[in-house]
């Protein structure tokens, strides 16, 4: 150890040994930065560290120079300011940035001491140990030592016995441990139920509920179908074979079963969407999204029914207008996308009253509300459902297109005002048969119009980029449109042959009334449906018909458009992910509130690239742009995709130093519209970036959303526009083929009888 430096701290030089005993090149004071190192005793020394050394060599030489008697293997280095463990992959960066280091216990010593302290009865000691644990558990080296010493069992015991802030630290430690893909497979159903109990208790603190909600979300997503491994063939129905210690053995079924045991658990989660604590509301909404994304066929009806009864849609609509909207935008859009998938499934679910008691009960309620009696026609056939406006008595056939969604909408229309429904039905029956409005048939047509407007036919690909509160009020909008349909029928004196004309009027009104729904108040929508005049609607529709070919509204063409939209969306998705694999340069942004940011980069530029496994974003920060080689050699740092909870846009602006050095950048004090942040649930922002152009911004925000495990949404209008443009171009090309051959497109197709046996196969030949 040499003499003291100017600051009074001792100075030592740590270098790799050479054959002649001299220091290696770059070890002179002018070339190698000096790092301050503080020992466990509080002594600070200044050390010149050779960046070619390993961390083990650095620690060993420090121990020798400082005359530490304990073995060097008992020690490690940490960043004094961030507590980050210094490893071989970040040592050079720490040296270059002259980071102040601390000589601390090695991971195996730290793990053993913390596990021992977890059994102490002293509350203060326990709380301090858990506070350290919830930070260290994120480090894989520490986590392995902690797990090898049965630390998880001791941590779970704390969760069972403690409360308040101590419990919050323990739950956060488990939450951070679950970021690893191993080590927590021993958690059982009783542990899940304990978390549910904590979450459902009205006495639980907010800082306790936040990690508890996040734990349940991770358990939901840790199902066998999400296990990493080779992709299964689409025809394979069996889950992959998992090793005994795999953490991918939980999933929706196990979590929801315990939530059903805990009374009011799901209701509590939905109620917390209205919490004044933004993080609490965010965690609750993310758990609901995760449940919606992973619900299995066995519990689908039960889960969706319970969500609807608890008015989850209404709770999310309230969030859309709340003061914390900026933090929740991404999750609200995810919820909308999930509800589109739910609506699509209902629309494609057959109505089977003989097999499904719930279907039978809905139909019975509708019939009872009509206050009619079944009769027999002159041919001896029963007349029941035809009185309500169905074309036949076969309700299964009548709901063939609208599915369970059609039955639900008719049920809600009737329940909204059963007296009105009964009155309208009797009024129609009092008219000559050709003048009657087929109410049930009209209801199904309105369902088709609304499904077409909100693109329900392509839920996995067509997701909204703005809030759609009217969509979340699907049943109420259906009721409004039904009142419009009935009024148009009455005011125009329509007959049965005019049905398609009234459908066209309703389509026109739906298109106009549902415009700009993210800014339009509900009462305005009601006025546009309930108070508009027939002649005004008819005049507008005639103008629309002049500019639009009726062929686009025919069922086969709509089905073709659905298929082309799915193909277009998949094409755009692959293009977006390809852009991520190529990589791009971004400006490092500064969020208005930097308190939650994990790392604030020193350099103005960052190059990011997705790895081929789609698991990590690798990056490098630099003072200038340079030619980045293919592969990952030039990108020393990385962000785990699984840690990204949401991608939020319009969040940051360039730092003052970046603006000073790059006068070509805009100097606005508001966040850049080309900025985005990668957020994690517990620790704020993983990255704050500003794209250099609109195209790169759209590629990356949508590409990253498409990679997320809980399925993301389309953020940019540009991506949504590409999908729409490709679909329309493909549709026009297909229609050119038909119109050139003068092929008549029918309005619908009637399926023929099924084959008499199964002694056939589909040929591959055209």
């Amino acid at each position: 150890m040499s003499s003291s430096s100017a600051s009074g701290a001792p100075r030592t030089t740590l270098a790799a040994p050479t054959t002649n005993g001299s220091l290696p090149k770059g070890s002179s004071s002018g070339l190698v930065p000096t790092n301050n190192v503080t020992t466990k005793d509080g002594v600070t020394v200044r050390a010149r560290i050779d960046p070619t050394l390993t961390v083990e060599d650095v620690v060993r030489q420090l121990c020798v120079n400082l005359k530490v008697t304990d073995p060097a293997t008992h020690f490690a280095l940490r960043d004094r300011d961030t507590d980050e463990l210094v490893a071989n992959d970040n040592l050079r960066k720490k040296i270059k940035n002259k980071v102040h280091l601390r000589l601390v216990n090695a991971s195996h010593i730290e793990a053993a001491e913390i596990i021992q302290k977890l059994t102490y009865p002293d509350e203060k000691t326990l709380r301090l140990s858990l506070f350290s644990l919830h930070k260290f558990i994120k480090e894989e080296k520490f986590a392995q030592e902690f797990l090898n010493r049965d630390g998880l069992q001791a941590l779970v015991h704390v969760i069972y016995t403690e409360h308040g802030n101590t419990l919050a630290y323990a739950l956060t430690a488990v939450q951070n441990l679950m970021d690893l893909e191993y080590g927590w497979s021993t958690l059982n159903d009783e542990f899940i139920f304990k978390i549910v109990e904590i979450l459902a208790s009205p006495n639980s603190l907010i800082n306790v509920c936040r990690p508890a909600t996040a734990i349940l979300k991770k358990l939901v997503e840790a199902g066998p179908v999400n296990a990493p491994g080779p992709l299964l063939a689409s025809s394979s129905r069996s889950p992959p074979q998992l090793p005994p210690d795999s953490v991918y053995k939980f999933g929706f079924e196990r979590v929801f079963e315990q939530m059903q045991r805990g009374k009011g658990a799901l209701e509590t989660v939905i109620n917390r969407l209205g919490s004044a604590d933004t993080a609490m509301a965010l965690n609750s909404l993310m758990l609901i999204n995760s449940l919606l994304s992973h619900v299995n066929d066995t519990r689908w009806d039960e889960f969706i029914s319970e969500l609807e009864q608890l008015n989850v849609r209404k709770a999310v609509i309230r969030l859309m207008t709340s003061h914390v909207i900026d933090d929740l935008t991404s999750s609200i859009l995810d919820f909308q996308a999930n509800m589109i998938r739910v609506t699509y499934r209902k629309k494609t679910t057959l109505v089977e009253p003989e097999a499904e008691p719930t279907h039978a009960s809905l139909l019975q309620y509708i019939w009872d509300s009509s206050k009619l009696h079944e009769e027999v026609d002159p041919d001896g056939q029963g007349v029941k459902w035809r009185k309500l406006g169905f074309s036949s008595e076969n309700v299964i056939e009548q709901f063939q297109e609208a599915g369970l969604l059609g039955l639900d909408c008719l049920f809600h229309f009737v329940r909204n005002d059963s007296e009105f429904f009964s009155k309208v039905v009797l009024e129609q029956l009092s008219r000559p048969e050709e003048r009657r409005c087929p109410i049930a048939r009209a209801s199904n047509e309105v369902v088709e119009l609304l499904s077409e407007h909100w693109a329900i036919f392509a839920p996995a690909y067509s997701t909204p980029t703005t809030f759609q509160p009217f969509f979340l009020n699907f049943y109420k909008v259906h009721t409004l449109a039904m009142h419009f349909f009935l009024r148009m029928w009455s005011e125009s004196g329509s007959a049965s042959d005019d049905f398609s004309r009234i459908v066209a009027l309703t389509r026109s009104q739906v298109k106009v009334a549902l415009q700009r729904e993210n800014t339009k108040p509900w009462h305005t929508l009601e006025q546009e449906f309930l108070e508009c005049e027939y002649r005004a609607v008819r005049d507008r529709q005639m103008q629309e018909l002049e500019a639009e070919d009726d062929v686009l509204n025919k069922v086969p063409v709509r089905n073709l458009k659905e298929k082309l939209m799915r193909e277009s969306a998949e094409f755009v998705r692959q293009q977006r992910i390809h852009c991520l694999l190529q990589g791009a340069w971004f400006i490092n942004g500064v969020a208005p509130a930097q308190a939650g940011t994990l790392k604030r980069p020193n350099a103005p530029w960052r190059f990011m690239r997705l790895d081929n496994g789609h698991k990590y974003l690798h990056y490098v920060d630099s003072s200038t742009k340079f030619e980045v080689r293919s592969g990952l050699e030039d990108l020393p740092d990385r962000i785990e995709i699984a840690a990204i909870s949401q991608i939020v846009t319009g969040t940051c602006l360039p730092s003052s130093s970046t603006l000073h050095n790059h006068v070509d950048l805009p100097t606005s004090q508001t966040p850049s519209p080309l900025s985005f942040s990668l957020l994690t649930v517990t620790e704020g922002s993983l990255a704050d970036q500003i794209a250099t152009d609109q195209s790169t911004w759209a590629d990356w925000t949508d590409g990253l959303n498409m990679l997320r495990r809980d399925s993301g949404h389309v953020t940019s209008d540009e991506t949504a526009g590409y999908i729409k443009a490709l679909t329309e171009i493909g549709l026009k090309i297909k229609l050119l083929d038909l119109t050139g051959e003068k092929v008549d497109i029918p309005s619908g197709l009637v399926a023929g009888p099924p084959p008499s046996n199964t002694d056939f196969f589909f040929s591959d030949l055209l």
Side-chain angles (χ1 to χ4, degrees):
M1 190 170 296
S2 61
S3 60
S4 298
S5 67
S7 62
R11 175 182 294 170
T12 184
T13 300
L14 307 180
T18 59
T19 54
N20 60 7
S22 62
L23 292 175
K25 292 181 180 179
S27 61
S28 64
S29 60
L31 296 178
V32 181
T34 300
N35 294 80
N36 287 334
V37 180
T38 301
T39 67
K40 292 174 63 177
D41 299 327
V43 177
T44 299
V45 298
R46 300 186 68 190
R48 288 200 181 95
I49 304 174
D50 184 349
T52 63
L53 292 175
T54 64
V55 173
E56 289 75 12
D57 288 335
V58 172
V59 171
R60 184 170 61 252
Q61 291 192 33
L62 272 173
C63 290
V64 171
N65 290 342
L66 296 174
K67 300 179 181 179
V68 177
T69 56
D70 292 334
T73 54
H74 288 189
F75 298 94
L77 286 173
R78 289 188 180 276
D79 186 319
R80 186 196 64 175
D81 298 326
T82 65
D83 233 10
E84 181 185 9
L85 185 68
V86 179
N88 291 330
D89 59 353
N90 64 2
L91 175 61
R92 182 172 297 183
K93 186 176 181 180
K94 299 293 183 185
I95 296 172
K96 181 180 178 181
N97 294 335
K98 300 183 180 181
V99 169
H100 193 137
L101 304 175
R102 288 192 305 126
L103 189 65
V104 297
N105 285 333
S107 295
H108 66 281
I109 300 293
E110 197 74 62
E113 289 184 359
I114 286 179
I115 292 171
Q116 184 180 9
K117 290 176 182 177
L118 291 181
T119 61
Y120 284 9
D122 179 53
E123 183 76 17
K124 184 177 180 181
T125 302
L126 178 59
R127 190 177 301 173
L128 289 173
S129 299
L130 287 168
F131 181 77
S132 299
L133 176 62
H134 97 275
K135 294 188 297 181
F136 295 157
I137 200 72
K138 302 175 201 172
E139 300 164 2
E140 193 162 351
K141 192 172 183 180
F142 175 89
Q144 289 175 346
E145 298 291 347
F146 182 79
L147 293 169
N148 290 340
R149 289 168 169 77
D150 290 331
L152 181 57
Q153 184 176 352
L155 181 57
V156 168
H157 178 73
V158 172
I159 291 173
Y160 274 93
T161 56
E162 294 299 325
H163 58 275
N165 290 330
T166 305
L167 175 60
Y169 288 139
L171 290 170
T172 305
V174 173
Q175 176 191 348
N176 292 339
L177 173 65
M178 293 174 76
D179 286 336
L180 300 175
E181 294 190 351
Y182 61 86
W184 41 280
S185 60
T186 55
L187 299 177
N188 54 27
D189 289 342
E190 287 307 310
F191 172 80
I192 300 174
F193 182 62
K194 178 63 180 178
I195 301 300
V196 170
E197 281 188 318
I198 292 170
L199 192 61
S201 172
N203 300 321
S204 294
L205 301 174
I206 287 179
N207 63 338
V208 170
C209 294
R210 283 199 297 260
T213 307
I215 288 171
L216 286 185
K217 176 181 180 292
K218 292 190 177 184
L219 289 168
V220 169
E221 294 171 355
V225 294
N226 291 327
L231 294 175
L232 296 173
S234 59
S235 59
S236 177
R237 293 178 178 267
S238 59
Q241 293 294 322
L242 302 175
D245 59 347
S246 173
V247 297
Y248 290 94
K249 63 179 185 180
F250 298 98
F252 174 89
E253 180 76 29
R254 289 183 64 179
V255 173
F256 187 64
E257 187 175 330
Q258 301 308 316
M259 291 183 75
Q260 294 300 88
R261 281 180 61 194
K263 293 182 179 180
L266 189 57
E267 182 179 6
T268 302
V269 172
I270 293 173
N271 288 340
R272 288 196 175 119
L273 291 178
S275 171
D277 182 83
T278 305
M280 184 70 259
L282 176 61
N283 276 282
S284 300
L285 186 54
M286 291 179 71
L287 173 58
I288 292 169
N289 280 332
S290 187
L291 290 166
L292 281 168
S293 298
H294 296 86
V295 58
N296 54 22
D297 292 340
T298 309
R299 310 298 287 268
W300 194 90
D301 289 330
E302 179 185 3
F303 174 64
I304 299 301
S305 176
E306 188 171 351
L307 274 184
E308 298 286 13
Q309 290 172 9
L310 294 172
N311 285 323
V312 66
R313 295 173 186 247
K314 188 175 181 180
V316 174
I317 290 172
R318 281 198 298 265
L319 276 181
M320 290 178 175
T321 56
S322 69
H323 64 284
V324 293
I325 194 63
D326 291 341
D327 301 311
L328 295 166
T329 298
S330 180
S331 290
I332 291 174
L333 291 175
D334 285 343
F335 178 81
Q336 280 185 179
N338 280 321
M339 293 313 295
I340 288 176
R341 282 186 276 271
V342 169
T343 307
Y344 176 74
R345 172 154 176 167
K346 285 190 174 186
K347 191 175 185 302
T348 54
T349 299
L350 296 177
V351 173
E352 300 177 295
E354 295 181 1
E356 296 291 341
T358 54
H359 299 184
S361 64
L362 292 177
L363 287 167
Q364 189 62 45
Y365 177 85
I366 293 168
W367 175 252
D368 291 343
S369 298
S370 71
K371 300 179 182 178
L372 299 177
H373 301 284
E374 188 173 355
E375 298 176 358
V376 178
D377 64 13
D379 297 328
Q381 300 294 323
V383 181
K384 178 180 179 181
W385 298 114
R386 280 179 286 175
K387 286 189 172 186
L388 300 185
F390 287 110
S391 302
S392 72
E393 294 299 316
N394 187 343
V395 291
I396 298 177
E397 182 183 83
Q398 295 301 298
F399 285 107
Q400 187 76 29
E401 294 297 327
L404 179 58
L405 178 63
L407 178 57
D408 279 348
C409 284
L410 182 57
F411 167 76
H412 281 86
F413 171 68
V414 174
R415 191 177 67 171
N416 180 67
D417 191 341
S418 58
E419 289 298 324
F420 171 80
F421 174 69
S422 174
K423 178 183 175 182
V424 170
V425 169
L426 290 172
E427 180 185 333
Q428 300 305 317
L429 290 175
S430 68
R431 297 178 178 180
E433 187 171 348
E434 67 275 6
R435 290 288 179 182
R436 296 173 187 172
C437 177
I439 298 171
R441 187 178 163 203
S443 174
N444 284 342
E445 280 295 335
V446 170
V447 169
E448 291 293 334
L449 295 179
L450 296 179
S451 299
E452 181 182 340
H453 175 79
W454 281 308
I456 304 301
F457 50 78
Y461 304 97
S462 177
T463 55
T465 59
T466 58
F467 292 154
Q468 294 182 327
F470 297 162
F471 163 70
L472 295 183
N473 268 322
F474 194 99
Y475 298 132
K476 288 186 177 181
V477 175
H478 171 270
T479 297
L480 289 176
M482 276 297 294
H483 281 284
F484 173 85
F485 192 104
L486 293 169
R487 190 161 57 83
M488 292 298 106
W489 184 280
S490 178
E491 291 182 8
S492 63
S494 297
S496 55
D497 292 340
D498 297 317
F499 185 82
S500 59
R501 182 172 60 84
I502 303 301
V503 169
L505 284 175
T506 308
R507 174 184 285 109
S508 174
Q509 190 65 15
V510 163
K511 182 179 179 181
V512 170
L514 296 179
Q515 286 178 339
R516 301 181 300 277
E517 65 176 286
N518 59 319
T519 58
K520 182 180 293 186
W522 178 259
H523 66 83
T524 303
L525 180 72
E526 289 181 323
Q527 289 174 355
E528 292 181 353
F529 271 119
L530 302 179
E531 299 178 10
C532 58
E533 296 182 358
Y534 165 74
R535 186 164 297 281
V537 177
R538 179 63 177 164
D539 290 344
R540 185 190 65 230
Q541 190 230 358
M542 292 302 295
Q543 293 174 1
E544 292 172 350
L545 287 177
E546 292 176 2
E548 183 177 309
D549 192 346
D550 185 56
V551 71
L552 296 178
N553 293 321
K554 293 190 175 182
V555 174
V557 177
R558 278 160 40 194
N559 292 339
L560 174 61
K561 186 177 180 181
E562 296 171 15
K563 177 176 179 291
L564 291 173
M565 178 171 279
R566 289 192 289 268
E567 292 176 355
S568 300
E570 182 59 28
F571 174 82
V572 172
R573 178 180 181 276
Q574 293 300 328
Q575 182 271 334
R576 294 298 193 233
I577 293 177
H578 180 69
C579 290
L580 269 61
L581 293 169
Q582 285 185 318
W585 281 101
F586 298 90
I587 300 169
N588 280 319
V590 179
Q594 279 287 339
T597 307
L598 291 179
K599 297 179 183 177
R600 183 169 180 172
N602 296 319
W605 292 97
R606 172 174 292 182
F607 184 89
M608 295 201 297
R609 175 181 287 156
L610 179 68
D611 70 336
N612 290 329
H614 299 180
K615 292 186 68 176
Y616 296 98
L617 272 181
H618 295 258
Y619 68 90
V620 62
D621 291 325
S622 174
S623 57
T624 57
K625 290 184 181 181
F626 62 90
E627 189 69 29
V628 180
R629 293 175 293 178
S630 59
L632 305 174
E633 292 182 7
D634 294 338
L635 311 174
D637 300 306
R638 68 185 188 182
I639 296 170
E640 188 177 7
I641 295 293
I644 302 172
S645 63
Q646 60 178 331
I647 295 94
V648 181
T649 59
T651 54
C652 54
L653 60 162
S655 66
S656 55
S657 59
T658 303
L659 290 172
H660 179 74
N661 295 325
H662 298 80
V663 294
D664 56 321
L665 294 175
T667 57
S668 172
Q669 295 302 307
T670 58
S672 168
L674 299 182
S675 63
F676 63 91
S677 294
L678 310 181
L679 302 185
T680 180
V681 174
T682 55
E683 300 180 65
S685 177
L686 294 167
D688 300 299
Q689 309 303 142
I690 303 173
T692 54
D693 54 69
Q694 177 70 28
S695 178
T696 303
W697 178 85
D699 289 342
W700 278 74
T701 53
D702 289 329
L704 289 169
N705 263 314
M706 292 167 178
L707 282 176
R708 286 164 50 199
R709 178 181 292 175
D710 55 353
S711 72
H713 58 275
V714 172
T715 301
S716 69
D717 292 332
E718 184 174 332
T719 297
Y722 279 154
I723 295 173
K724 182 179 179 181
L726 287 172
T727 302
E728 290 178 351
I729 291 170
L731 183 61
K732 288 176 181 177
I733 292 173
K734 294 286 187 183
L735 291 179
L736 279 174
D737 292 340
L738 293 176
T739 54
E741 297 292 334
K742 297 184 179 179
V743 176
D744 182 37
I745 303 174
S747 296
L749 298 175
V750 179
S756 58
N757 58 60
T758 58
D759 187 20
F760 65 90
F761 66 94
F762 294 101
S763 173
D764 292 332
L765 300 177
L766 295 176

